[in-house]
Amino acid sequence: MNKRARLNVSFALIWVDFPVLYYAAVTARDPVLTAAALALMALAVLVALFT
Amino acid sequence: MNGIEVTPALWLLAFIPVLVLLVTFIGLRWGAPKAGAAAWFTALIIGWAGFGGDATLLATANAKGLSLALFVLTIIWSSVYLYNVADRLDAPRVIGTTMTRLVGDNLMQCLLIAWCFSGFVQGITGFGVPVAVTTPLLTAVGVPPIAAVVMTLVGHSWAVTFGSMGSSYYTIQLVTRLPEPLIGPWMAMFFALPTITCGFAVAHIQGGMPAVRRSLLPVLLTGSIMAALAWALAFAGAPQIASVFPGLVGCIVIWGITRLGLVKTEAGLAADGGESQVAPPGRLNFNLAFLPYYVLIGLSILSQVPALKDATRNLAWGLDFPALQTGLGYVVAAEKTYAKINLVSHPAPLIAGAALASFAVYAARGLWTKGLVGGAARVTIKQCVPTSVGIATTVMMALMMNDTGMTTTLAHGIARATGPLFPLLSPYIGVLGSFMTGSNTTSNVMFGALQMETAKGLAVSTVIISAAQSAGGSLGSIIAPAKVLVGAAVVGLSGREGDVMRQAVPYCLILVLLLGIQAWLFAYVFFRSLA
């Protein structure tokens, strides 16, 4: 995957995870879902780190 | 301090994410997405392990960060798209050519666009719009892209506190509870120095020390007029227009100085325009080329009409966030409609409205070409995706630092360690707030009370220190990654934000140092008895 494709993936993951993060941490206050959403964000940022 | 006992070790720990961002961004020249990602991981780990932020708090901080990023990114995407359409219609070249004819000297063009016009735009809208609007105008008059971004960042920074219709000014006034008739004129007086030094900095970016020497008369004359106007407006109880009006008058004064031939021109260039710089006429005239910006200014003014503001107050989107507490006892206040995007007065709908109105006129004039919309959209996506990842990661990092108490730890450490030198370093706390959040207003919310309490503890004038906080926050806009990325995106410098930052940082540090010296002299020499 080239640099631009990785950035696109990171971009998509960040914004897909945004409502999930909010729902998990603020609306549902579900610790497991929150940890999962945070892990997904870490993955999205990790993809950006390797561009 | 709000549950946290600040120790040197904790302070150093809190500084690491900022250090990582600076080293990767400026030192290693990483692009914004990569540098932001490195700083994000650092803040996440330190926020969790060193400052006691649990998964819920960190996830909430990230969601807040993305709300804030959305606020900024909608401005970037809309302004970059508007510029790309205008570019395909050849509008920047027409604007540049006309500016070259009206104000022939490149130094005066830079002062007019980057210092005065950007201050005028900041006065109306703010939120990165002046950077998005004026940077392409500078490239259109022949300024290299990196210099154009740095010039705009530096040039508009005098206008931020009284800009956005006075939002940052009103915030510091509300936070410190200092009476408006007292803080307003003092704040404006405090800004006289940065108003003038920003002009000299723009001249220096344009042509080094020879340009600074050439700019002595125009900068001193225009800057003094703008500063005096800002003071008079603040004194008269109209601080909300203390950037708009001086910015506009500054444009007129610069144009007048050029027309009267009061400034020594560059060798081989006539005062009223160098023929070699005049490009052949295109399909657009200046007014048509500038139409989106005319409409944007008109809509921005309209959006500030009190009756319209009241009527559309509820047409807004923003998320609510609960109060939370870290393991160290640092309490994060609840937020109602955080980073609210008003569907009428937010810059993005205004830019979109300006674009639609202008496109309709272009279509009616037969200037529309097939594939214009789609082609501009494709270029916009290509330019904005890296910028968006960079902004998202840096803003999420900043919010994790805020909500785990790292940012407050940094500010308290500076305040406690400096003692009698506090007025000198007080503006840097304002810079820190703007650097972290991209907002003078947020910087004032975060650190206004801290500065006030520290000033009281040291028996230093609270008025002067409050002014120093807000002025520092204003100049901090020069190096706020969110604004650097806006400027880089609109002139196609995505991935080279570190180069912009490297050039911008020295100007910011020097301008803020001068501000700090002024604060120290005001506090300990000239106005010791001021409240």
Side-chain angles (χ1 to χ4, degrees):
Chain A
M1 207 190 286
N2 65 23
K3 183 180 172 178
R4 179 152 295 280
R6 281 199 294 270
L7 276 173
N8 289 341
V9 169
S10 176
F11 175 81
L13 281 175
I14 286 171
W15 292 103
V16 165
D17 196 30
F18 176 32
V20 182
L21 263 181
Y22 185 79
Y23 175 79
V26 179
T27 311
R29 300 194 181 197
D30 180 331
V32 177
L33 193 57
T34 301
L38 202 54
L40 183 60
M41 186 57 73
L43 177 68
V45 179
L46 194 67
V47 174
L49 187 63
F50 289 101
T51 51
Chain B
M1 177 215 77
N2 190 1
I4 299 179
E5 184 56 42
V6 181
T7 61
L10 206 61
W11 191 91
L12 283 174
L13 209 54
F15 186 63
I16 292 174
V18 180
L19 189 67
V20 168
L21 186 66
L22 292 175
V23 168
T24 54
F25 209 31
I26 301 171
L28 301 177
R29 299 188 182 204
W30 285 7
K34 201 170 169 166
W40 185 91
F41 274 110
T42 315
L44 181 80
I45 293 164
I46 294 175
W48 169 68
F51 284 79
D54 60 15
T56 301
L57 187 137
L58 293 168
T60 306
N62 277 291
K64 269 187 198 173
L66 288 175
S67 297
L68 200 58
L70 194 64
F71 186 101
V72 178
L73 287 174
T74 47
I75 300 171
I76 296 177
W77 282 75
S78 53
S79 54
V80 170
Y81 181 68
L82 175 63
Y83 175 76
N84 282 328
V85 172
D87 190 39
R88 280 158 184 260
L89 290 167
D90 209 20
R93 188 194 59 80
V94 174
I95 294 169
T97 305
T98 309
M99 291 246 182
T100 306
R101 250 200 325 267
L102 284 174
V103 181
D105 186 277
N106 189 249
L107 170 63
M108 298 301 277
Q109 289 164 351
C110 292
L111 289 173
L112 190 147
I113 298 169
W115 184 40
C116 302
F117 183 65
S118 70
F120 167 71
V121 179
Q122 175 67 37
I124 303 169
T125 59
F127 309 112
V129 175
V131 181
V133 169
T134 57
T135 308
L137 298 183
L138 286 167
T139 56
V141 296
V143 178
I146 291 179
V149 182
V150 178
M151 218 179 258
T152 316
L153 289 165
V154 171
H156 89 294
S157 64
W158 65 272
V160 181
T161 283
F162 288 114
S164 312
M165 293 292 161
S167 63
S168 304
Y169 163 74
Y170 285 118
T171 305
I172 192 77
Q173 193 259 321
L174 288 170
V175 169
T176 58
R177 296 176 194 276
L178 290 164
E180 206 184 315
L182 177 66
I183 181 76
W186 276 99
M187 181 76 80
M189 193 168 113
F190 206 79
F191 265 96
L193 178 74
T195 302
I196 291 169
T197 51
C198 283
F200 282 127
V202 166
H204 189 264
I205 299 163
Q206 190 269 344
M209 285 315 288
V212 174
R213 280 192 289 276
R214 248 176 12 96
S215 72
L216 267 176
L217 173 75
V219 169
L220 285 176
L221 182 64
T222 312
S224 302
I225 291 171
M226 293 199 297
L229 273 174
W231 182 87
L233 289 164
F235 184 76
Q240 71 275 23
I241 54 168
S243 287
V244 181
F245 197 56
L248 185 62
V249 170
C251 291
I252 296 166
V253 174
I254 291 281
W255 175 77
I257 288 172
T258 314
R259 300 304 291 180
L260 292 171
L262 297 179
V263 65
K264 217 166 92 181
T265 55
E266 283 165 337
L269 186 67
D272 58 351
E275 282 187 18
S276 61
Q277 292 191 28
V278 180
R283 293 179 300 160
L284 290 178
N285 60 33
F286 177 79
N287 287 327
L288 271 177
F290 209 75
L291 184 64
Y293 303 110
Y294 284 139
V295 181
L296 177 60
I297 291 164
L299 289 177
S300 301
I301 293 169
L302 195 66
S303 72
Q304 298 300 326
V305 172
L308 189 69
K309 271 178 103 170
D310 289 341
T312 59
R313 198 172 296 280
N314 294 326
L315 285 175
W317 180 87
L319 295 171
D320 295 341
F321 290 93
L324 292 166
Q325 192 170 354
T326 66
L328 296 185
Y330 182 79
V331 177
V332 187
E335 297 278 1
K336 193 103 179 124
T337 50
Y338 184 77
K340 185 168 78 173
I341 296 177
N342 188 296
L343 301 180
V344 175
S345 61
H346 182 270
L350 297 180
I351 295 168
L356 285 175
S358 310
F359 298 170
V361 173
Y362 293 151
R365 292 278 188 128
L367 296 163
W368 209 254
T369 52
K370 203 181 164 194
L372 184 72
V373 172
R378 277 190 292 277
V379 175
T380 304
I381 292 168
K382 202 174 165 187
Q383 287 173 323
C384 288
V385 165
T387 307
S388 302
V389 174
I391 286 186
T393 51
T394 46
V395 176
M396 283 192 289
M397 174 214 80
L399 265 293
M400 281 195 286
M401 286 189 66
N402 284 350
D403 286 5
T404 53
M406 279 191 253
T407 310
T408 311
T409 300
L410 286 175
H412 272 269
I414 296 169
R416 191 188 288 178
T418 51
L421 286 178
F422 177 66
L424 186 71
L425 295 170
S426 154
Y428 287 99
I429 296 177
V431 172
L432 174 69
S434 287
F435 175 77
M436 298 307 298
T437 64
S439 162
N440 189 184
T441 303
T442 312
S443 176
N444 288 351
V445 171
M446 280 164 60
F447 299 133
L450 163 76
Q451 297 258 28
M452 176 108 166
E453 291 307 315
T454 311
K456 278 181 185 166
L458 293 167
V460 176
S461 164
T462 52
V463 174
I464 290 168
I465 296 302
S466 301
Q469 153 63 30
S470 199
S474 197
L475 296 184
S477 301
I478 297 170
I479 54 166
K483 288 195 174 180
V484 171
L485 289 168
V486 172
V490 290
V491 289
L493 284 174
S494 293
R496 295 189 62 194
E497 297 88 352
D499 293 334
V500 175
M501 193 69 118
R502 189 178 300 107
Q503 286 196 23
V505 165
Y507 288 104
C508 179
L509 294 180
I510 292 168
L511 292 171
V512 177
L513 178 65
L514 293 173
L515 200 64
I517 292 169
Q518 174 179 261
W520 192 89
L521 288 172
F522 274 25
Y524 287 117
V525 180
F526 299 127
F527 306 108
R528 279 188 83 108
S529 56
L530 185 66

